[in-house]
Amino acid sequence: MKWNSAFARLAYSYVSIVLVIVLLLCSIFYIYFSRSYKEELQTKNQMIVENTARTIENSVLERVQKIYVDLSLDRGADLRAWADASVPMYSSSLLDLQQRLKAEAASNADIVHAVHVYNPQRNVMLSSLYGLIYNANDREIADFFADWMNGMLQPGHSSSLWTPSRWIPDDMFSGLPGEHGHSIITYAHRSPFPSPGENSDLIVAIDVKESAIHDIIQNMMPSHYEYTFIGDRSGHKVIGADLGFMNLYSDARPDMAHDHAGSGSFSGTIDHTSYIVSYQALPAAGWMMYSAVPASLFYEQSLVVNKLILGISLLAIVIGLLLSGLMAKASYSPIKRLVEMIKSLSGQQPGQPMNDYKLIDTAFTRLHDKVSTLEDALEESSPIIKRNVVLNILRNHVPDAELADKLSLLGLSRTYSHYGCLLLNSGQTFAPLSSGNMQMIMSRMIQQLESIRLPGAHIVAEELPDKKIVVMLCSDHISDGLQDELSQLVLSEGRQQFRLDLQLSWGSWVNSMGDLHHSYIEAETLMKYAYFLPEQAVLKDRRLLEREDCVDEIPQSTLLRFKEKLYARQPQAIAAAVDDLIGIMRDGAYPADYCHFILANTVFVFSDYLKSVRFKHPAQGPMDLYKQYIEVQNIDEFRQWLLDTVNTCIALTEKRNSERALSTLELAKEYIENHLSEDLSLETVSSKVFISAKYLSRLFKEELGMTYTDYITSQRMERAKTLIESNHMSIEQVAASVGYGTAAYFIKKFKEMYGCTPGNYLRNMAKQV
């Protein structure tokens, strides 16, 4: 295999791509995963600090503040009484107060070292641990209390403070060196509550064991214990840490001052070692808790991720090399077959050495010559190509990069500064034509349109799939006169050459062929309103476009009026309702699609009415109203078609109903005659002939001139007279035979009908015989 062969070059390219992709992915994975893992560790460290700070806050600081509140509010050991100068120093209340302080310190011995109450006016302090101390601020032990005493007595100081950590011996009064002691912090607060300044009555001080806070830190952060300390907002140490870390935290303090959340992290260096420091606020004391972790810890723990990424990358390279060989072989196979085919077609011997790419290039040169001969055949297909180009431009399917190449297919030798779209609709003129004649007329119209010459303008016309014609006007200048001139030319040519009544719609001007679809969309939208404005030959009023954004609806009363009048069979009222509806559509601000929906709904209402009355045209059979509707070309034709159809159907329905009424009446009379002895109520008989009782009563009144009840009575009396004349039945039997329950009522009705009783009638008949 030669190193410059096609196969070798393919292999080089695939291997290079694999190496570049793997190295790029390796770098991305290393940066992303390493950073994400370090951020995760840092977030975990921050959470540990937050939990520890929250525990210190709840278990120590807030608990100490609660001790102060309990003492201040305890009526059993009233602090105010001891602050009163009139109360003796050795009163029983003093003993009660000391016992209360001792009890409070004992019950909270896990965190409280001692509880003191200091009276600045008398300079006397009462302590749970040291008892009563006179001249508390000038004795040899005053240094142990000076931090909170002096701090609380400063003018303008707040009502409370927390002191930094300090060491005190077990026995402050001995003063012997080397004796054991405790590290404590003190919480001091004025009492009563609203007593700021140096005129406060008392100061309550609670000595808190520093070990209580250290134990929490050591239990919850064992690995960070030696690198954790608590400081105030000024960056001064309160508890823990050495001076080196103090300097690191002091350098970061300006950045923390802008952290309103009271928590976060920062990095720094101490003795050439990088640290990640997390901090969390302790709001109860106004302190900040800091914890440092060597940055190397994050890198060491992320080393596993780095090794995993490296292993995956090496595996990807190996797999990529294998795939490169397979892809190079697979890609070379068609090239090899192509080369062998070229050699066989050109008569070259298969074993004759020749560069593969040069051989393919020579073959394509020869192919180019053969393709050139096909261009003449393509010219014959230019109308189809032109039509596809026009449609793609109108649909915005032509990229801007290809647009310049497409212009030559439209016969445009240059670009123009303005483009406009004209849409031409022949209306119903093409409807009766065959497809062949329609196509011939369309082609002639397009040729006539493109033959029009306007100064500084060019016209491109083409047929659309919906049998409309689109005209693309390219011009170096725009004016209403240019549009009007072209419109008049098109309309006059349509009338003179083809005897067609055309309608036109104009889209707005655009500055490039690539934006022509906007003009086409406007022209297409305006053409929707040709149905409702058939008298307008040219549609270019931009106010019609505003109707497309209207969301109003035609009043429901107007829509229901047609239905009401239709069911009432009032032709003149129906015509008025249709005219009102059409007038609203023509003059209103409703969108064309919405108006078509209303018209279709009106047709459906008419169709439902015909179904409800079971109408069937005697000649046409079932009527397909929707099919007839979609063949209507404009709103005027719609009105004429709808009213003609409605009037015809109403006339046929009334004629059918009249014939049906006479037939129904005969059935009712026949049933009455055969069932005179039974129940002949109006409801019973109407159900037998399948019409409503009200309608049956109206038929008797209109056709026979009498009420239904009178007709029943007359028929029964006629039958009764016949039965009496036969002289074979008693009066009671005759009454029962004609449907009367009692003979007395029958006699009454008979007398009303014939002026005499049945017995008298029978005797009169006998005398005549």
Side-chain angles (χ1 to χ4, degrees), residues 599-616:
L599 292 180
N601 188 64
T602 303
V603 174
F604 288 140
V605 168
F606 183 30
S607 177
D608 290 341
Y609 165 75
L610 296 182
K611 292 179 182 178
S612 67
V613 298
R614 300 178 182 178
F615 177 81
K616 185 177 180 180

Side-chain angles (χ1 to χ4, degrees), residues 456-747:
H458 186 87
I459 293 176
V460 178
E462 189 54 63
E463 176 189 355
L464 296 177
D466 58 357
K467 302 308 177 183
K468 294 185 179 69
I469 295 178
V470 63
V471 177
M472 301 187 327
L473 178 59
C474 314
S475 176
D476 288 326
H477 64 280
I478 58 175
S479 66
D480 294 337
L482 181 62
Q483 290 183 335
D484 294 339
E485 181 180 357
L486 180 58
S487 299
Q488 294 303 321
L489 285 173
V490 171
L491 293 174
S492 61
E493 288 290 329
R495 286 190 292 268
Q496 296 175 8
Q497 298 289 335
F498 306 103
R499 295 187 178 90
L500 298 178
D501 292 325
L502 305 177
Q503 276 188 293
L504 312 178
S505 63
W506 274 102
S508 59
W509 291 99
V510 295
N511 296 325
S512 68
M513 181 70 77
D515 295 331
L516 192 62
H517 62 281
H518 295 299
S519 180
Y520 168 70
I521 291 173
E522 288 190 5
E524 193 175 41
T525 302
L526 289 173
M527 188 57 72
K528 293 180 183 179
Y529 296 91
Y531 185 94
F532 302 96
L533 303 171
E535 71 281 358
Q536 293 189 18
V538 181
L539 299 169
K540 61 178 182 178
D541 189 354
R542 290 293 168 275
R543 289 176 296 181
L544 294 176
L545 299 176
E546 298 175 0
R547 293 175 62 166
E548 292 295 300
D549 299 326
C550 180
V551 296
D552 296 337
E553 296 183 357
I554 295 175
Q556 196 67 23
S557 58
T558 303
L559 302 178
L560 293 176
R561 191 179 307 153
F562 170 77
K563 183 177 181 180
E564 294 173 354
K565 303 307 179 183
L566 177 65
Y567 278 80
R569 300 179 189 175
Q570 300 176 1
Q572 293 182 351
I574 293 173
V578 172
D579 289 339
D580 289 344
L581 181 62
I582 292 175
I584 290 176
M585 291 182 179
R586 291 169 59 95
D587 303 330
Y590 304 103
D593 294 336
Y594 172 71
C595 293
H596 279 294
F597 168 77
I598 296 300
L599 292 180
N601 188 64
T602 303
V603 174
F604 288 140
V605 168
F606 183 30
S607 177
D608 290 341
Y609 165 75
L610 296 182
K611 292 179 182 178
S612 67
V613 298
R614 300 178 182 178
F615 177 81
K616 185 177 180 180
H617 198 283
Q620 301 178 7
M623 300 179 64
D624 190 348
L625 293 178
Y626 186 73
K627 181 179 179 181
Q628 297 178 21
Y629 159 67
I630 61 177
E631 292 176 354
V632 174
Q633 298 299 316
N634 56 59
I635 194 69
D636 293 337
E637 290 187 11
F638 172 83
R639 177 189 181 279
Q640 190 64 41
W641 163 77
L642 181 61
L643 294 180
D644 290 346
T645 307
V646 168
N647 292 334
T648 300
C649 292
I650 289 177
L652 292 174
T653 300
E654 291 181 349
K655 179 180 178 182
R656 182 197 65 181
N657 290 345
S658 177
E659 295 173 353
R660 183 178 298 173
L662 294 176
S663 175
T664 301
L665 185 61
E666 291 300 323
L667 290 174
K669 290 166 65 178
E670 180 179 353
Y671 179 84
I672 292 170
E673 182 179 358
N674 296 330
H675 299 83
L676 284 175
S677 62
E678 301 175 9
D679 178 22
L680 293 179
S681 64
L682 185 61
E683 289 75 11
T684 300
V685 177
S686 64
S687 65
K688 298 297 182 179
V689 295
F690 307 105
I691 61 174
S692 67
K694 184 177 180 180
Y695 183 53
L696 179 61
S697 176
R698 185 159 62 92
L699 285 179
F700 272 91
K701 186 68 176 176
E702 292 177 355
E703 300 297 332
L704 302 180
M706 66 176 63
T707 65
Y708 175 80
T709 302
D710 292 342
Y711 178 80
I712 295 296
T713 301
S714 65
Q715 293 299 307
R716 282 175 168 170
M717 292 299 105
E718 288 290 334
R719 176 70 60 85
K721 185 172 69 171
T722 302
L723 293 175
I724 291 172
E725 291 175 353
S726 65
N727 200 19
H728 296 304
M729 301 175 68
S730 65
I731 299 300
E732 288 77 8
Q733 290 175 332
V734 172
S737 298
V738 295
Y740 289 102
T742 63
Y745 186 69
F746 166 68
I747 294 172

